[in-house]
Structure formats: C-alpha cells, structure tokens
Amino acid sequence: MLKSLGIRKKGSSATLSPPSPPPPASLPPMSRTGLLTIRVLWADGLSLPTGTTVPPVVQAALASQQAKVAAAVSPSSVNEQRHLHKRASKRGDRDSVQRAQCWWLPYLVMEFDVNQVLITSLGGDIAKPIYMYQAHL
C-alpha cells in the first residue's frame, strides 16, 4: 500500500500515465494495463517514537567509520557516481549504484497489489536516509 509510506515527502514521487477520457456510455468498460513507476529519493524528518531509545548495537553502529562514510552520501554524490560509471562503461550497461549494507538505517517495504519491494538505504542518517531507488511495478 503506497499510503503506508506516509504522506508524500519531497523526495518521493509516483508517476502514472495520464488518465484516459471515460468511454462512451454505450460501450462496455475496458481494462487497461500500464506501467507504474515509483521513485524514492530520500525520507526527511524521521524520528523514533517518544520514549523509545536507540538500541546499544545501533548506537555502536552509528559511531563506526562505516556510518560516517554513509552519512556523507547525498543525492548529488549518488548522481555523480552514476554519471562516472556511465562514462567509464563502454557497453551501455544499465545504471547501477552499489548498495552498501547500512543495516542501522531505516528501510522501506513498498507494496502494490501483489508486488513487494524492499528498499535499503544507500546512506544518510537515521533522520534523513538516502534511497535513490526507482521501481517499475
């Protein structure tokens, strides 16, 4: 359910094909197929519920060198990495970004009909994880 992601944030967008005009009343309804594309760039302003503390293992992960590197990731740095990869690739490979394990950061589970997509963070911090993910459902 798309609404399970919360209200629409700045960093996410959903794109659908433009709606078609309704069929004339004399024709039976037609079923249409299409492609739903959803981009999740980042989340902003996330926080733990009041009274909840960060577990010690997550606090230790947040103090690690890997967390410092992950915190330096930004949407512009991801785009720059994608452009560099595109230039270096001579075969026209698909755009790819290495998704490092940032298990201490929030993840998303996107559901639509029977499709389910797990989206892990590329970096950022707990309050503003960076996803830079595009799904075609």
Side-chain angles (χ1 to χ4, degrees):
M1 291 178 271
L2 190 55
K3 70 179 182 178
S4 68
L5 295 177
I7 60 173
R8 180 177 143 90
K9 299 283 186 180
K10 288 185 207 175
S12 64
S13 63
T15 307
L16 290 172
S17 300
S20 60
S26 62
L27 296 176
M30 287 181 25
S31 173
R32 290 194 55 163
T33 60
L35 180 69
L36 173 65
T37 299
I38 298 175
R39 292 184 327 151
V40 181
L41 303 178
W42 64 82
D44 197 7
L46 299 181
S47 63
L48 293 172
T50 306
T52 305
T53 59
V54 177
V57 68
V58 174
Q59 287 178 345
L62 288 169
S64 71
Q65 182 63 31
Q66 187 179 6
K68 290 179 176 100
V69 170
V73 173
S74 68
S76 60
S77 69
V78 173
N79 284 334
E80 183 178 324
Q81 181 184 356
R82 285 179 174 165
H83 289 299
L84 289 174
H85 176 348
K86 203 175 214 179
R87 281 189 205 146
S89 175
K90 295 181 180 182
R91 294 182 297 156
D93 292 333
R94 268 188 83 143
D95 180 21
S96 176
V97 173
Q98 180 64 39
R99 292 193 175 268
Q101 288 291 345
C102 296
W103 60 266
W104 61 91
L105 293 176
Y107 63 88
L108 298 171
V109 177
M110 187 172 17
E111 294 181 9
F112 183 77
D113 287 341
V114 296
N115 297 303
Q116 198 175 57
V117 180
L118 174 67
I119 305 171
T120 57
S121 299
L122 286 174
D125 58 35
I126 289 180
K128 187 175 181 178
I130 307 295
Y131 297 106
M132 302 298 285
Y133 189 86
Q134 184 168 328
H136 301 288
L137 303 174

